[in-house]
Amino acid sequence: MNIMYLTLTTNVLVTLLLLLPSPTNPKQIPVPVLASPTNPKQIPIPAVYVFGDSLVDSGNNNYLPIESNAKFLPYGIDFGGKPTGRCTNGKTVVDYLAIHLGLPFIPPYLGLTKIQRHKIKTGINFASAGSGILPETNNNLSLPLDKQIKLFEKFIKNNLPNMFADKVERHLSESLFVVSTGVNDHFTATRNFRGSRKFDSYLLKEFSLRIQKMYSLGVRRVFVNNLPPAGCFPSRAAKSRAIGECNEKINRAISIYNSHLPNLLGKLQSQLPDFTFIHSDLYEHLIGLRKTGYKYGKTLIYI
């Protein structure tokens, strides 16, 4: 048994235990489980539900009345050789998570028919590229987090009972909910950066309200990405004085939000019974990739 500690707060310990294939039975399907100090019982993860922006969108924007930016090559060249609706050349972090958990890829909600929505038991992706926590962030080009949650609420009411009858609450409490959002809120409609301590304090409060709304719908296990280093995005790094260098002013402002996120999640856990979270430090991971790109044959890595 391999144990991975993924939470990053000092007052909470959430452990993701992954049962590896048995040496005597290498084809055994891994059975992932979560446990916590207050709930040591290991419970399998039956499904993954996804909320957020382009980092985790698996194609919802392809079904919106907009010109999706992920419909052309090189998107998808390393994942089937054609665009999939993902804003990447390959798989998203959610795709790898699904593989790791022994689950099928999580389909985009808008790409499913009504009949298909009645049959999906292993999770649905509600994420939308360009979206944010705030309802006004790119609301004409994406599904803001509020709309994603409303679609999820509709799915709970109209679809889950057909599959789980009176066990919907149990299904939701055992599922894992991935939330990766907030970076787009830091930019205005004209792409000007607006991050500041005051703004980040406001944004964190708004994020907390959305998590509490999800909790009221039955969500108990949440995997939260912090914000990526937006100052290293190609659109920013390409404009720096030393082309390719990150805009550290933007990154410092992003770090303000990230530094307070674990405490916010810890506070929610202390207030909401049975609420458990995994805090993923996406920021440091991506910064690390820039520094160690040479190990992967890359001399310069844009994020």
Side-chain angles (χ1 to χ4, degrees):
M1 181 182 294
N2 180 35
I3 300 178
M4 293 177 57
Y5 296 90
L6 299 181
T7 189
L8 303 179
T9 59
T10 57
N11 63 324
V12 180
L13 177 62
V14 179
T15 310
L16 179 63
L17 296 92
L18 301 173
L19 298 183
L20 301 179
S22 167
T24 59
N25 182 16
K27 293 184 179 181
Q28 175 184 335
I29 298 176
V31 182
V33 297
L34 276 177
S36 72
T38 57
N39 183 19
K41 182 180 179 181
Q42 300 173 13
I43 304 173
I45 300 172
V48 175
Y49 293 91
V50 187
F51 302 81
D53 51 33
S54 61
L55 292 174
V56 291
D57 182 4
S58 61
N60 279 307
N61 277 25
N62 280 2
Y63 301 93
L64 294 177
I66 62 172
E67 186 61 37
S68 173
N69 291 328
K71 286 185 177 180
F72 56 85
L73 294 174
Y75 292 119
I77 58 173
D78 297 313
F79 188 20
K82 60 182 180 180
T84 65
R86 294 165 173 80
C87 297
T88 173
N89 59 293
K91 302 178 182 69
T92 68
V93 64
V94 171
D95 293 321
Y96 286 108
L97 179 62
I99 292 172
H100 205 51
L101 298 180
L103 298 173
F105 292 130
I106 315 303
Y109 176 84
L110 296 182
L112 297 172
T113 64
K114 290 183 179 180
I115 295 177
Q116 289 173 323
R117 291 171 190 167
H118 279 311
K119 298 180 179 180
I120 298 293
K121 295 184 177 181
T122 53
I124 287 182
N125 192 317
F126 298 92
S128 175
S131 68
I133 297 168
L134 303 178
E136 65 268 23
T137 298
N138 298 324
N139 58 6
N140 60 331
L141 300 172
S142 64
L143 297 173
L145 186 56
D146 284 345
K147 289 186 178 180
Q148 295 176 35
I149 295 173
K150 286 182 179 179
L151 289 176
F152 173 57
E153 188 172 10
K154 179 180 178 181
F155 178 72
I156 294 174
K157 179 181 179 180
N158 298 336
N159 304 109
L160 285 184
N162 293 291
M163 295 177 278
F164 298 101
D166 60 346
K167 296 182 180 179
V168 171
E169 183 177 345
R170 176 179 176 181
H171 170 76
L172 293 174
S173 68
E174 294 178 353
S175 297
L176 184 64
F177 293 80
V178 176
V179 184
S180 184
T181 186
V183 70
N184 291 317
D185 297 290
H186 284 76
F187 296 89
T188 66
T190 56
R191 306 311 296 164
N192 292 319
F193 186 74
R194 60 174 176 174
S196 65
R197 290 185 181 277
K198 182 178 180 180
F199 176 76
D200 285 333
S201 177
Y202 165 67
L203 191 61
L204 284 163
K205 290 179 181 178
E206 292 297 309
F207 181 66
S208 176
L209 292 175
R210 272 67 180 181
I211 294 296
Q212 291 177 65
K213 172 62 177 178
M214 293 172 66
Y215 177 86
S216 73
L217 296 175
V219 173
R220 294 297 181 267
R221 298 167 160 184
V222 181
F223 180 110
V224 180
N225 271 333
N226 65 7
L227 303 187
C232 301
F233 286 178
S235 59
R236 297 291 161 172
K239 297 178 181 178
S240 61
R241 291 186 178 181
I243 296 179
E245 292 297 317
C246 299
N247 184 318
E248 294 303 332
K249 181 179 180 181
I250 290 179
N251 283 352
R252 283 194 296 272
I254 290 291
S255 294
I256 295 173
Y257 179 98
N258 286 344
S259 66
H260 293 288
L261 181 59
N263 290 334
L264 169 67
L265 294 171
K267 183 178 180 180
L268 287 173
Q269 187 172 51
S270 68
Q271 297 173 342
L272 306 176
D274 298 322
F275 177 79
T276 303
F277 72 88
I278 298 172
H279 170 252
S280 170
D281 194 351
L282 179 65
Y283 181 98
E284 287 299 331
H285 174 69
L286 294 178
I287 289 294
L289 284 180
R290 284 184 60 89
K291 296 178 180 178
T292 60
Y294 65 91
K295 294 182 179 180
Y296 309 96
K298 305 293 183 181
T299 57
L300 180 62
I301 293 182
Y302 288 113
I303 297 172

